[in-house]
Amino acid sequence: MFEQFKSWYENRHDYAEKWKERTGGKVIGTFCTYVPEEILYAADILPVRILGSHEPQDVSEPHIFAMFCPFCRDCLAQGLKGRFDYLDGITIAQSCLHIRQAFTSWDIHIPVDFKYYLPHPMNVQSPHAVPYLTEELKLFKKTIEEWTGKQITDDDIKRGIEIMNKNRQLLQEVYELRKNPNPPLTGLEAMYMVVSSQMVDKREHNKALEELLQKLPSRTIENSGERLMIVGSEDDDTEFVAMVEDLGADFVIDDHCTGTRYFNMNVNVDGDVLTAIAERYVKRTPCPSKDWPQLVGVENIVSLAKEYDVQGAILMQTKFCDPWELTLPKVKEELESIGIPTLFLEFDVTVPIGQFKTRVEAFLEIIREEDLF
Amino acid sequence: MMETKYPTEPLKCWNKAKTLRENYYRDFAEAHDKGGLRWAGGAWSFDAIPAGLGDDVYSLTGEPYGATVAYNDKFALECQEATEARGFARDLCSYMRNYWGSILINKYAWPQFSEEFPRADFIWQDHICCSHSKWYQVASNLEGDIPMFSIDVSVGPYEEVTEHKINYIVGQMHDGIKWLEKITRRDYDDELLIKAVKNEFRSCHYWSAICELNKAIPAPLDEKTMYSLYVIGTLRKSAQWTADFYEKELYPEVKDRVKRGIAAVGNEQCRIMTDTQPPWAFLRIFRYLEQYGCVSIGSLYTFGLIGLWEEKEDGSWGPRSIPEIEITNRDEALRALAEWNLSKPEWQHFYHPKLKSDMMIRIAKEWKLDGVFLHFNRGCEGLSLGIAENRLAIQKAGIPTMPFEGNMGDEREFDLERTMKRVDAFMESLGIEKIDLK
């Protein structure tokens, strides 16, 4: 049922190259989920998220100091190794400092036709964030128009919003099913589904999701282990998720930019279209780099844990990821205060499966003992 | 003792700089005894704004405080271990960890003024680095929810500033003033704000003018000395005492040193600059450089953390001129303040390393340098941002570089002996030998 999503995830580059051949359209690599893909779809451009390959690499060392997160270095390595050579352009919406370096080094060393750094408010709790971002989106739209030589109308943007909203809506519907006592999908399947949505044409993805939703509610799988949540940095560590679920537990919810944070709020088209987009990107569940002065993201995590009846949470943090390092101690404190045990793990590009397996087994034993007594 | 190539003499205003710094930490500790207010925030925060609450409002800027802790390596270790025990990663900003540690062990780095860490009444921060607002979010939490306000200034490089970017910052500033009035229950005085903004213009201008004087051969100041001087601007750039010290005391004295050929390093034969904050517990490395007749004339960090710069008519880099504008009300003051700060050199590389590389190459040429030391500083994600690309660009420009790894505030991540060996090798590569100082 999820083979298509897995195939898209594993063959992302083949897909994008064929998409270009098929449509004659342009493909833009995006470095962060704050990029307003609505505007790219409005311009008939395919946005493809640049993610790493989880392989050891030796090409990014001269470009990014090793104290920055392995994820940003892995992303840059993909460019330096030529795996994204089909890209016509790259863009980033301002978020953390780490991923910004992958973008700027890409800009310096890897030729692309179009590059755009989109300043994006970090103070998303300020009432001035939406008007500011709206103006930035106007500039972004204008630059895209100049590059493509095609005007982007409000109707085009509405079409872009519709494509994105539909994808979000469908993903939300699938996630609703994960609240069931026996969810009809695994955490690994959910991960393939969401991450692939960041790599393929959303219209095709929507079609696949609609077909999935026809069958999914009646699907029954062996899925009665501990209900876990996974929280933290960018995460497409499928190997890790598979390992945990092989131990009998089930991931039923996440708080990741490769998960709920990507799709958890729709654009509400009511008035100016760019303002509507700005509203969505300012008010979505924040990346911890933008989560201040109030810790809104932590409230969201606690709320998800309750809604999905979570028994334990794995706090995964990419090594050197400052925004999460600054936030996870509070997440741990808040989850444990409502009786949800946590396991903290620090991730690198490759996952030490043997070591992590031992730690996860011990964590599950703790949860199981609590159930017993 | 052999005679040096150039005459040297101590700075006359050295003790004044020390006194200003001590007064600053004393005033913060004793603010409540005088009925005043205390606020905490970063060295880049818009300190001219809380100045409008009155003349009895005292600040504690986090980075200089973290550096002060770092200089005392035993105290720093105590702070860092307390922070780690609380669950925070040891690769986070080391200034921040030193600051949090001070809160956690409840000790002030200036025990002669207060044995306990003085709790701020409010937090007034700005945000361009991922750690800025989060630093004080955690600090607020550790100290029992101190009210906090932070202003996002990360709107892109100065060369791309537009009206809507300024509006975003100024809008937050206006909200901040209303917030200050609410939490302090004080009326806000726009005249004090305007005065503070003008002071800040002077502080930033004259600090740059002082650094510009280091183009002279021999350099009148060395970077180790500059650390004790630039810090005044990181404490309270909008204070009259800062502006007056730079304009009326330090600048004339350094200018006079240039006129008389007074050197910071008597045997100057090699000129370098560094990059990012130094490992504060190991400043003796600068004394080691003197054995080679090597002077560090500063860095983009010492020049541009507080100093503002511009290209002059002759194409050279010099202090940004003080704006010749009339400021008559709050909005004008805030707009001028936002626009002024957005040109800060150390804010530019947050968007692209090229912007920093260009400035560094320019300094290397105009200050006539033989090489650049790049501190790959594990203690600061903000200023180490893009440093690897800076290295490549500087090398490409034909300027020798010496990268070394360390940490500004955590001595556990700095290897003094190994760094000195690197210095030896670098000097050898430049063909510079140690001077017999006997």
Side-chain angles (χ1 to χ4, degrees):
Chain A
M1 209 175 272
F2 286 84
E3 289 76 17
Q4 177 66 81
F5 300 110
K6 186 180 179 201
S7 169
W8 277 333
Y9 172 76
E10 289 177 347
N11 304 298
R12 66 192 82 164
H13 302 303
D14 288 345
Y15 174 87
E17 282 170 9
K18 283 178 186 152
W19 184 93
K20 274 185 81 163
E21 279 174 28
R22 184 160 39 96
T23 65
K26 293 181 190 295
V27 182
I28 279 189
T30 63
F31 283 85
C32 175
T33 55
Y34 276 97
V35 170
E37 293 177 57
E38 289 81 354
I39 295 173
L40 299 177
Y41 274 104
D44 296 320
I45 293 167
L46 176 67
V48 172
R49 186 166 181 197
I50 294 169
L51 294 176
S53 66
H54 298 281
E55 297 164 296
Q57 52 85 18
D58 58 359
V59 293
S60 67
E61 205 64 20
H63 305 288
I64 301 180
F65 178 22
M67 70 170 271
F68 290 95
C69 82
F71 170 65
C72 72
R73 287 181 276 133
D74 196 10
C75 287
L76 175 63
Q78 304 313 303
L80 294 170
K81 283 171 179 272
R83 291 178 179 162
F84 280 91
D85 278 356
Y86 53 84
L87 291 181
D88 299 288
I90 52 168
T91 184
I92 188 170
Q94 180 167 280
S95 52
C96 79
L97 301 182
H98 297 243
I99 195 66
R100 205 176 295 182
Q101 287 185 107
F103 173 82
T104 52
S105 285
W106 198 300
D107 174 34
I108 295 169
H109 301 287
I110 305 164
V112 280
D113 193 34
F114 175 86
K115 37 216 174 183
Y116 196 89
Y117 182 101
L118 174 63
H120 196 286
M122 300 306 284
N123 190 358
V124 291
Q125 293 173 24
S126 164
H128 304 283
V130 171
Y132 166 59
L133 182 56
T134 305
E135 292 303 313
E136 289 296 336
L137 294 182
K138 283 181 194 168
L139 292 175
F140 181 55
K141 172 178 162 278
K142 185 167 168 269
T143 312
I144 295 273
E145 285 173 334
E146 285 165 1
W147 178 50
T148 58
K150 189 188 149 208
Q151 198 193 349
I152 303 171
T153 65
D154 276 6
D155 284 343
D156 291 331
I157 294 179
K158 281 178 187 160
R159 180 169 47 83
I161 291 171
E162 206 174 298
I163 293 166
M164 291 295 294
N165 273 354
K166 186 167 183 183
N167 193 250
R168 292 181 186 120
Q169 183 59 42
L170 292 168
L171 290 171
Q172 287 160 17
E173 284 176 31
V174 175
Y175 264 54
E176 273 300 301
L177 298 172
R178 300 179 81 187
K179 289 180 180 171
N180 294 348
N182 288 304
L185 70 162
T186 66
L188 180 64
E189 289 168 336
M191 184 172 274
Y192 282 131
M193 176 184 71
V194 182
V195 183
S196 65
S197 78
Q198 301 179 351
M199 298 165 172
V200 304
D201 190 323
K202 294 275 193 301
R203 285 159 288 206
E204 285 180 59
H205 201 265
N206 289 344
K207 208 172 154 200
L209 285 173
E210 281 171 334
E211 286 168 14
L212 177 73
L213 277 163
Q214 296 284 320
K215 304 172 206 159
L216 201 55
S218 58
R219 187 192 194 207
T220 308
I221 55 172
E222 191 65 38
N223 212 0
S224 54
E226 292 70 26
R227 297 175 67 83
L228 299 183
M229 177 177 201
I230 187 162
V231 176
S233 313
E234 180 281 334
D235 182 17
D236 64 325
D237 297 275
T238 52
E239 196 185 356
F240 174 77
V241 172
M243 178 273 286
V244 175
E245 295 194 321
D246 280 348
L247 293 175
D250 306 308
F251 284 112
V252 294
I253 188 62
D254 64 71
D255 181 77
H256 281 147
C257 61
T258 40
T260 53
R261 283 207 306 278
Y262 180 60
F263 62 79
N264 72 354
M265 188 180 168
N266 288 1
V267 175
N268 183 14
V269 189
D270 183 19
D272 176 60
V273 287
L274 292 182
T275 305
I277 294 171
E279 287 258 0
R280 190 267 163 190
Y281 285 90
V282 164
K283 292 180 181 170
R284 58 163 267 195
T285 307
C287 163
S289 67
K290 294 174 189 272
D291 194 14
W292 51 268
Q294 303 302 316
L295 262 176
V296 176
V298 177
E299 290 165 21
N300 180 63
I301 290 165
V302 170
S303 161
L304 285 175
K306 287 177 182 168
E307 278 176 50
Y308 284 80
D309 195 19
V310 161
Q311 293 167 279
I314 293 185
L315 311 180
M316 62 78 57
Q317 177 221 299
T318 297
K319 196 174 170 71
F320 305 133
C321 173
D322 297 80
W324 276 106
E325 285 177 345
L326 286 155
T327 305
L328 281 176
K330 192 68 181 169
V331 174
K332 178 181 162 69
E333 185 185 314
E334 293 295 321
L335 286 174
E336 291 180 355
S337 76
I338 56 165
I340 296 175
T342 64
L343 172 66
F344 173 83
L345 295 173
E346 190 177 68
F347 278 57
D348 207 321
V349 166
T350 54
V351 179
I353 282 293
Q355 202 182 87
F356 278 5
K357 188 174 179 184
T358 307
R359 295 184 64 184
V360 173
E361 279 172 338
F363 180 61
L364 292 176
E365 275 176 28
I366 291 168
I367 297 175
R368 283 164 191 165
E369 276 199 17
E370 279 176 0
D371 288 346
L372 195 62
F373 298 108
Chain B
M1 190 88 173
M2 70 176 274
E3 201 173 305
T4 56
K5 189 172 164 189
Y6 303 108
T8 61
E9 63 180 41
L11 269 178
K12 294 183 189 77
C13 62
W14 180 254
N15 287 338
K16 176 72 179 286
K18 293 275 182 189
T19 304
L20 289 175
R21 183 162 165 262
E22 272 194 25
N23 289 349
Y24 173 83
Y25 288 107
R26 184 204 60 207
D27 289 345
F28 182 76
E30 297 175 357
H32 286 179
D33 303 340
K34 302 168 194 165
L37 292 172
R38 293 184 189 132
W39 66 267
W44 279 339
S45 59
F46 295 108
D47 61 323
I49 296 177
L53 292 171
D55 289 328
D56 58 348
V57 179
Y58 302 96
S59 61
L60 180 71
T61 47
E63 295 89 345
Y65 182 80
T68 301
V69 173
Y71 189 73
N72 180 346
D73 52 2
K74 286 191 178 58
F75 183 45
L77 186 61
E78 206 184 336
C79 291
Q80 287 149 13
E81 288 181 344
T83 304
E84 286 153 22
R86 190 72 177 214
F88 290 99
R90 66 181 273 184
D91 55 85
L92 284 166
C93 166
S94 52
Y95 285 168
M96 181 168 73
R97 287 184 289 125
N98 288 347
Y99 187 92
W100 293 345
S102 253
I103 296 170
L104 288 165
I105 63 174
N106 196 22
K107 286 184 187 170
Y108 193 42
W110 298 80
Q112 65 270 45
F113 304 135
S114 171
E115 289 195 359
E116 296 187 346
F117 186 78
R119 186 182 186 274
D121 299 304
F122 62 90
I123 288 165
W124 179 256
Q125 174 62 315
D126 75 331
H127 186 97
I128 192 167
C129 168
C130 285
S131 298
H132 278 160
S133 293
K134 302 293 279 187
W135 169 331
Y136 284 96
Q137 184 181 59
V138 172
S140 165
N141 185 250
L142 294 177
E143 291 194 277
D145 293 328
I146 298 178
M148 168 178 167
F149 196 92
S150 186
I151 295 174
D152 176 17
V153 298
S154 58
V155 296
Y158 184 59
E159 62 190 23
E160 293 171 17
V161 166
T162 56
E163 193 63 19
H164 77 269
K165 292 174 194 280
I166 300 271
N167 288 344
Y168 172 53
I169 297 173
V170 172
Q172 294 174 80
M173 289 170 158
H174 277 292
D175 291 352
I177 290 175
K178 285 181 204 145
W179 178 86
L180 286 171
E181 286 184 311
K182 190 177 161 195
I183 58 140
T184 64
R185 294 179 189 163
R186 287 191 178 192
D187 292 330
Y188 195 79
D189 185 337
D190 288 336
E191 290 306 315
L192 288 177
L193 166 71
I194 292 167
K195 191 176 154 200
V197 169
K198 288 179 178 172
N199 283 335
E200 182 169 334
F201 290 165
R202 275 200 300 141
S203 297
C204 300
H205 169 87
Y206 278 100
W207 175 250
S208 300
I210 292 157
C211 297
E212 187 189 25
L213 292 169
N214 247 13
K215 287 181 180 175
I217 297 176
L221 296 173
D222 69 295
E223 193 169 21
K224 184 174 182 295
T225 303
M226 292 166 87
Y227 290 141
S228 297
L229 303 170
Y230 93 107
V231 71
I232 308 296
T234 70
L235 301 176
R236 275 285 292 279
K237 54 192 173 299
S238 70
Q240 177 141 353
W241 47 267
T242 302
D244 285 351
F245 175 69
Y246 285 157
E247 180 183 358
K248 296 174 182 170
E249 296 187 62
L250 186 57
Y251 177 71
E253 187 181 348
V254 178
K255 200 171 173 187
D256 179 59
R257 284 170 75 94
V258 172
K259 194 174 158 194
R260 294 189 293 121
I262 305 295
V265 173
N267 290 302
E268 180 183 313
Q269 61 171 345
C270 170
R271 295 161 67 87
I272 59 137
M273 68 169 166
T274 69
D275 186 41
T276 84
Q277 307 89 326
W280 290 108
F282 301 95
L283 293 183
R284 56 191 177 274
I285 201 150
F286 288 96
R287 293 287 170 252
Y288 185 66
L289 291 178
E290 289 177 13
Q291 294 180 27
Y292 283 99
C294 177
V295 61
S296 177
I297 55 79
S299 56
L300 185 66
Y301 166 71
T302 41
F303 289 6
L305 196 76
I306 292 301
L308 299 192
W309 298 77
E310 67 189 3
E311 188 166 290
K312 297 295 182 186
E313 278 181 14
D314 64 0
S316 68
W317 220 36
R320 183 172 171 191
S321 305
I322 294 172
E324 290 177 4
I325 50 170
E326 198 184 350
I327 301 175
T328 59
N329 59 45
R330 182 184 297 182
D331 190 62
E332 285 173 5
L334 298 181
R335 281 183 185 279
L337 189 63
E339 197 279 336
W340 178 254
N341 275 276
L342 283 172
S343 71
K344 206 183 284 295
E346 284 283 45
W347 282 9
Q348 308 311 311
H349 75 280
F350 281 94
Y351 311 106
H352 208 295
K354 189 180 177 302
L355 298 166
K356 181 173 166 186
S357 299
D358 290 349
M359 288 186 279
M360 292 179 79
I361 291 165
R362 165 168 230 159
I363 294 172
K365 288 178 179 166
E366 291 187 29
W367 274 254
K368 305 165 207 72
L369 305 186
D370 300 293
V372 177
F373 283 17
L374 293 157
H375 181 200
F376 279 53
N377 180 359
R378 287 188 170 269
C380 180
E381 62 160 336
L383 296 193
S384 291
L385 189 73
I387 194 167
E389 292 293 357
N390 299 139
R391 173 178 157 264
L392 294 175
I394 294 166
Q395 282 180 335
K396 199 174 170 188
I399 302 156
T401 61
M402 190 201 89
F404 67 102
E405 214 168 293
N407 190 312
M408 63 193 181
D410 188 340
E411 63 154 352
R412 295 169 297 182
E413 291 195 310
F414 184 71
D415 185 334
L416 180 65
E417 288 306 317
R418 196 173 68 177
T419 307
M420 286 188 178
K421 292 289 174 214
R422 288 188 80 108
V423 170
D424 291 338
F426 186 66
M427 290 297 156
E428 192 179 333
S429 74
L430 295 179
I432 293 176
E433 293 182 358
K434 276 189 183 173
I435 294 164
D436 185 0
L437 297 170
K438 285 176 192 160

